[in-house]
Amino acid sequence: KPVKSDSYEAGIRGLVTNHLNYELSLYHMTLTDDILTYQYPDNTRETVNAGETSHQGVEVTLSTSVEKLFSAAVNYSYSKHTYEDWQPNDNVNYSGNEMKAAPRDIANTRLAYRPAFLNKGRIELEWVHLGHYWMDDANTHQYDGHDLLNLRANYFINSSWELFARLLNVSDERYATYASYSARSGSEYAPGSPRTVYAGISAQF
C-alpha cells in the first residue's frame, strides 16, 4: 500500500547579536502504512506495511564569526521515532517501541581559525556526536553512541593551487557506523575507520 503522511513543521531564524545567528525548527510527522522489514529468527525477512509510526523532534543551529578570523557553528538535533502500531505477527508486537538505529540526539560543532600565514586558508576542528540508539526493534540491545574529533587545514599557494590535509578520528576511537542485533546472529557492528590522514594538492584552471 502507499505510505500516507501527516507532517507539520515550524521554524524561526534570526540574529541574537551582530555576530551570532540562530535557526530553530520543530517537526512532527505521522506515517500510516509505513513500509518496514521484519526479520524472523532464521534471518529471513519480510517487508510489510506497518500500522503507524511517529517522528518528532527539534533542530537548532548557532553560528558566529569574528572579523573573518574565527568562526564557530553548532548543530544539534533531538528526535524520537516510535512504532505507534506495528504487530508483525500474533506473537510479536512492537507498538510503543522506539525504531532501531534511530539515535535521539546528534550534534556537530566546528571551530575554524583563519590566520594570515595560511593565505585565506583555515584550520578547523570538528566534534561529531552520535547518541545511543536501539539495535533491534524489540528494544533489548543498545549501541552507546560515539564522539569523534576531526581536524582539517588548507593553504592557498596562489589563486590556482591549494594544499590540504585532514586528520579524521584524532583520538583513534573504536566506533560503529551501524550496529544491529538479532537473536540468531547476536550483535553486529560495521566498524568505523581508525585514525586516518589525508593530504593532497588541488589545482583550478
Side-chain angles (χ1 to χ4, degrees):
K1 297 179 182 179
V3 178
K4 295 180 283 293
S5 171
D6 292 315
S7 182
Y8 307 91
E9 183 174 354
I12 186 173
R13 66 178 63 178
L15 294 171
V16 178
T17 68
N18 290 334
H19 298 288
L20 182 61
N21 305 293
Y22 73 90
E23 292 186 27
L24 172 67
S25 62
L26 305 168
Y27 68 89
H28 177 85
M29 179 172 61
T30 300
L31 300 178
T32 54
D33 288 328
D34 198 359
I35 298 174
L36 300 170
T37 299
Y38 175 69
Q39 182 172 318
Y40 290 92
D42 62 359
N43 275 359
T44 58
R45 299 171 182 268
E46 180 183 12
T47 301
V48 297
N49 285 110
E52 182 178 312
T53 61
S54 174
H55 314 263
Q56 54 192 330
V58 57
E59 298 176 354
V60 180
T61 298
L62 295 173
S63 60
T64 184
S65 61
V66 180
E67 302 298 333
K68 296 184 178 181
L69 185 61
F70 296 96
S71 64
V74 178
N75 299 281
Y76 177 78
S77 67
Y78 181 88
S79 59
K80 189 175 181 180
H81 308 271
T82 58
Y83 300 115
E84 297 298 317
D85 179 18
W86 186 26
Q87 187 171 354
N89 56 56
D90 292 338
N91 299 317
V92 177
N93 189 349
Y94 294 139
S95 301
N97 287 5
E98 292 189 44
M99 300 180 73
K100 67 177 181 181
R104 287 197 181 188
D105 63 310
I106 301 174
N108 180 283
T109 299
R110 299 183 304 278
L111 301 174
Y113 175 48
R114 296 174 175 83
F117 66 82
L118 288 181
N119 197 23
K120 297 185 179 180
R122 66 178 180 178
I123 301 171
E124 181 183 79
L125 178 65
E126 179 187 40
W127 168 52
V128 178
H129 168 75
L130 183 74
H132 61 79
Y133 61 78
W134 293 110
M135 297 166 57
D136 59 334
D137 293 315
N139 291 179
T140 60
H141 291 73
Q142 192 174 77
Y143 175 65
D144 291 335
H146 57 254
D147 293 274
L148 302 175
L149 288 175
N150 302 315
L151 187 63
R152 302 178 180 90
N154 66 326
Y155 169 76
F156 290 97
I157 301 172
N158 52 43
S159 59
S160 299
W161 293 88
E162 176 192 4
L163 297 173
F164 64 87
R166 301 192 299 270
L167 175 60
L168 306 182
N169 191 5
V170 173
S171 55
D172 201 23
E173 294 291 324
R174 295 181 65 186
Y175 70 100
T177 57
Y178 180 76
S180 63
Y181 173 83
S182 67
R184 183 183 179 91
S185 303
S187 298
E188 296 183 340
Y189 301 90
S193 298
R195 184 188 296 118
T196 307
V197 178
Y198 298 92
I201 183 170
S202 65
Q204 294 183 1
F205 300 98

